């Protein structure tokens, strides 16, 4: 399979190159040349397959020409070594819990898949002592998913840059306690300073001549496409419960950069019988405005309690447009949208807990509420619960007025020993660190 850039200045690029490069030179996002439609037999029998089997089958159709079957199977099985349960919330709404990975965030799957795919491609090219260095700037969640996704992967060293004092304790513990091939750099500055250091490093000719640098950005195809697995798996789980329900399936995705939902749209294009999608947003509603008006006005993000969705210019919007050939009519036929204020998110968390006993996180709460507001009477909805509520501990405890239990997995991080290297926002200091 070859890939082209959504800006159309690049085409015929190999999977290896798109995974190593991330973003195209014309600043577009890579898309597969064609999207294979999977046979009806697969969909008829999908409820008899495991998450790993489904994901391997889908991967084989997307990446099978570019990676030997045996290696691809290893990548998929290694990535999805945890369950993704579908939990009934009420008679018409189900939660697909994507938060059972190592950092309790849905980004774990993409990060793990990418680390293993990158490792596959560079293994043959680099000498044993010739490490590939992944640089990632984080304001919290991406750093933990990427650090944990790459933990222990041979041939790759990850440097996580984060702003000192500006990430939560739980988040900090998730990338500073790992050791091995992960180094946390505590930068005296803001998130923007961290990002500037990384960008300057990628642009520094001398540095790039001396060492192999790459990014684990969320627009990378190897992080983007594996998210399609969730949708096939969700369909399979609901089919086990009710054929009638699955024939009238609506999937709702709490969205920020729109990578997750766009992977769902790719799954639909591969023949997955989902009736339609709902994009749930917080107050950052630039996509909803596009659905309503046909106009796209990117803007600065507004801080909310569902902060992983605080995005004012979703990077995957280019992929949505490309997938539907820039047709507003075609896009609105498949996707509708809802937006919620912090107060509405808090209400949804309380209402859901009281009526069903199910505890939502602020992101999943947008998804749940959008199904409540958008489902028709004969439809069944699945929302993707993208994070464990304990990851937003103070916010959720304040909303429900109760203490919540911290899962053992999170507690384990918090008990680890923090290791980090303090650094100024001066590039020469960062460069010296990298080359020493
Ligand atoms: C990243 C993230 C989102 C948004 O996902 P996109 O693919 O960027 O739309 C939603 N919820 C949580 C918890 C996240 O970490």
């Amino acid at each position: 399979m070859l890939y082209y850039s959504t800006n159309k200045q690049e085409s015929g690029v190999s999977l290896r190159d798109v995974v190593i490069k991330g973003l195209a030179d014309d600043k577009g996002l890579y898309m597969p040349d064609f999207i294979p439609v999977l046979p009806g037999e697969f969909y008829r029998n999908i409820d008899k397959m495991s998450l790993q089997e489904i994901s391997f089958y889908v991967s084989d159709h997307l990446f099978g020409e570019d990676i030997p079957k045996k290696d691809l199977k290893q990548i998929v099985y290694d990535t999805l070594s945890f369950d993704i349960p579908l939990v009934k919330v009420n008679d018409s709404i189900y939660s697909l819990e994507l938060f059972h990975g190592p950092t309790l965030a849905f980004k774990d799957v993409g990060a793990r898949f990418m680390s293993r795919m990158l490792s596959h491609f560079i293994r043959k090219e680099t000498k044993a002592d010739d490490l590939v260095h992944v640089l990632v700037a984080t304001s919290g969640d991406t750093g933990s998913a990427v650090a944990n996704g790459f933990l222990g992967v041979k041939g790759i060293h990850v440097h996580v840059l984060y702003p000192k004092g500006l990430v939560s304790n739980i988040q900090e513990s998730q990338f500073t306690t790992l050791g091995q091939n992960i180094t946390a750099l505590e930068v005296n500055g803001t998130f923007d300073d961290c990002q500037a250091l990384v960008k300057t490093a990628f642009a520094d000719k001398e540095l790039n001549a001396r060492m192999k640098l790459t990014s684990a950005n969320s627009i990378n195809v190897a992080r983007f496409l594996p998210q399609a697995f969730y949708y096939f798996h969700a369909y399979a789980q609901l089919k086990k419960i009710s054929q009638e329900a699955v024939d009238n399936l609506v999937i709702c995705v709490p969205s920020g950069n729109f990578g997750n939902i766009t992977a769902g749209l790719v799954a639909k294009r591969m023949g997955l019988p989902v009736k339609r999608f709902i994009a749930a947003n917080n107050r950052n509603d630039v996509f909803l405005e596009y659905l309503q008006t046909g106009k796209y006005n990117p803007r600065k993000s507004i801080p909310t309690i569902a902060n992983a969705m605080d995005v004012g210019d979703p990077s995957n919007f280019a992929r949505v447009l490309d997938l539907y050939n820039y047709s507003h009519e075609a896009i609105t036929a498949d996707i509708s949208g809802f937006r919620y204020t912090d107060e509405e998110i808090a209400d949804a968390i309380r209402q859901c807990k009281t009526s069903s006993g199910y505890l939502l996180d602020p992101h999943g709460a947008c998804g749940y509420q959008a199904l409540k507001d958008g489902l028709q009477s004969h439809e069944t909805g699945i929302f993707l619960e993208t994070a464990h509520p304990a990851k937003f501990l103070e916010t959720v405890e304040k909303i429900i007025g109760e203490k919540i239990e911290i899962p053992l997995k999170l507690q384990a991080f918090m008990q680890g020993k923090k290791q980090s290297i303090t650094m100024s926002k001066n590039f020469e200091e960062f460069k010296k660190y990298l080359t020493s």
Side-chain angles (χ1 to χ4, degrees):
M1 176 92 70
L2 297 173
Y3 292 78
Y4 64 89
S5 160
T6 52
N7 284 347
K8 307 283 159 79
Q9 302 300 304
E10 257 183 68
S11 60
V13 188
S14 70
L15 179 64
R16 174 210 171 270
D17 288 353
V18 307
V19 172
I20 290 175
K21 280 172 67 177
L23 196 68
D25 290 333
D26 65 8
K27 303 277 187 275
L29 277 65
Y30 287 115
M31 286 289 276
D33 252 355
F34 80 103
I35 296 177
V37 176
L38 306 179
E41 196 195 339
F42 166 64
Y43 292 110
R44 281 192 292 280
N45 296 319
I46 195 170
D47 52 330
K48 295 170 194 78
M49 297 168 78
S50 70
L51 169 62
Q52 288 173 326
E53 285 166 347
I54 292 170
S55 305
F56 176 56
Y57 185 87
V58 173
S59 298
D60 198 22
H61 282 78
L62 291 169
F63 309 120
E65 289 169 8
D66 309 294
I67 299 183
K69 259 196 195 334
K70 179 171 91 7
D71 296 351
L72 185 57
K73 189 165 183 177
Q74 175 100 44
I75 293 171
V76 172
Y77 275 58
D78 222 31
T79 298
L80 295 157
S81 56
F82 47 87
D83 192 24
I84 300 182
L86 184 72
V87 177
K88 184 171 181 167
V89 178
N90 65 32
D91 281 346
S92 56
I93 299 181
Y94 291 79
S95 166
L96 187 73
E97 295 187 344
L98 301 185
F99 56 69
H100 293 271
T103 78
L104 311 188
F106 89 90
K107 293 186 176 67
D108 285 328
V109 166
R112 284 161 74 91
F113 193 92
M114 179 183 164
S115 71
R116 282 144 184 88
M117 193 179 257
L118 184 61
S119 159
H120 167 84
F121 283 122
I122 61 181
R123 211 175 46 210
K124 286 177 251 145
E125 300 168 15
T126 38
K127 297 182 283 312
D129 55 344
D130 199 5
L131 277 179
V132 172
H133 297 265
V134 170
L135 308 182
V136 55
T138 185
S139 55
D141 260 19
T142 300
S144 44
V146 169
N148 283 274
F150 282 77
L151 181 63
V153 177
K154 284 203 187 72
I156 301 176
H157 197 99
V158 177
H159 309 266
V160 181
L161 291 83
Y162 72 102
K164 185 182 172 74
L166 296 179
V167 303
S168 79
N169 288 336
I170 292 183
Q171 286 174 330
E172 186 176 27
S173 71
Q174 287 183 309
F175 49 77
T176 56
T177 59
L178 299 169
Q180 298 185 58
N181 59 330
I182 312 297
T183 306
L185 300 170
E186 195 171 2
V187 176
N188 270 310
T190 62
F191 169 65
D192 291 334
D193 294 324
C194 297
Q195 205 156 30
L197 285 176
V198 169
K199 281 193 176 154
T200 313
F202 286 131
D204 189 290
K205 285 217 171 67
E206 189 203 334
L207 195 57
N208 285 273
R210 279 181 68 170
M211 56 201 298
K212 257 201 154 112
L213 299 178
T214 188
S215 89
N217 199 293
S218 66
I219 50 92
N220 198 297
V221 160
R223 272 188 69 186
F224 162 64
L225 278 177
Q227 301 177 108
F229 305 157
Y230 305 144
Y231 299 85
F232 294 96
H233 175 65
Y235 178 86
Q237 297 307 301
L238 187 60
K239 186 171 157 68
K240 276 184 207 169
I241 298 169
S242 160
Q243 184 63 44
E244 195 192 334
V246 91
D247 285 341
N248 293 284
L249 174 59
V250 176
I251 298 188
C252 178
V253 190
S255 297
N257 267 317
F258 281 70
N260 197 357
I261 195 170
T262 307
L265 300 172
V266 169
K268 188 168 197 277
R269 197 60 68 82
M270 293 175 85
L272 183 70
V274 177
K275 243 179 98 180
R276 61 193 182 91
F277 288 84
I278 299 177
N281 284 133
N282 58 26
R283 285 179 60 216
N284 295 280
D285 58 356
V286 51
F287 185 77
L288 177 63
E289 188 182 280
Y290 166 78
L291 292 177
Q292 289 168 342
T293 66
K295 296 202 172 62
Y296 183 68
N297 292 312
R299 44 187 170 251
K300 271 205 155 151
S301 67
I302 310 165
T304 76
I305 58 170
N307 61 15
M309 299 167 14
D310 295 350
V311 179
D313 183 8
S315 48
N316 285 286
F317 184 63
R319 284 193 168 120
V320 178
L321 288 176
D322 187 85
L323 199 58
Y324 289 90
N325 245 320
Y326 292 78
S327 162
H328 180 254
E329 198 187 332
I331 291 172
T332 52
D334 270 2
I335 320 167
S336 58
F338 287 91
R339 52 94 71 172
Y340 299 104
T341 63
D342 282 358
E343 293 71 31
E344 289 167 332
I345 293 171
D347 284 343
I349 292 175
R350 279 188 292 263
Q351 187 279 330
C352 182
K353 182 165 181 296
T354 311
S355 65
S356 67
Y358 191 79
L359 185 61
L360 297 159
D361 97 292
H363 307 79
C366 296
Y368 165 80
Q369 191 60 42
L371 284 176
K372 286 204 70 180
D373 293 337
L375 269 191
Q376 286 161 13
S377 59
H378 61 286
E379 292 174 332
T380 297
I382 294 177
F383 68 94
L384 305 194
E385 178 43 298
T386 48
H388 191 288
K391 284 201 85 177
F392 302 88
L393 196 70
E394 283 114 68
T395 307
V396 176
E397 286 183 344
K398 218 167 103 194
I399 289 169
I400 61 170
E402 280 172 37
K403 288 269 164 219
I404 58 180
E405 217 172 300
I406 303 180
L408 290 175
K409 240 187 253 173
L410 271 186
Q411 286 180 31
F413 282 115
M414 293 164 80
Q415 279 152 13
K417 190 174 172 296
K418 175 179 158 179
Q419 291 168 290
S420 67
I421 296 174
T422 312
M423 184 145 303
S424 76
K425 56 187 183 189
N426 179 297
F427 178 68
E428 288 311 315
E429 187 183 340
F430 179 50
K431 187 170 171 177
K432 207 165 127 203
Y433 153 81
L434 281 175
T435 49
S436 66

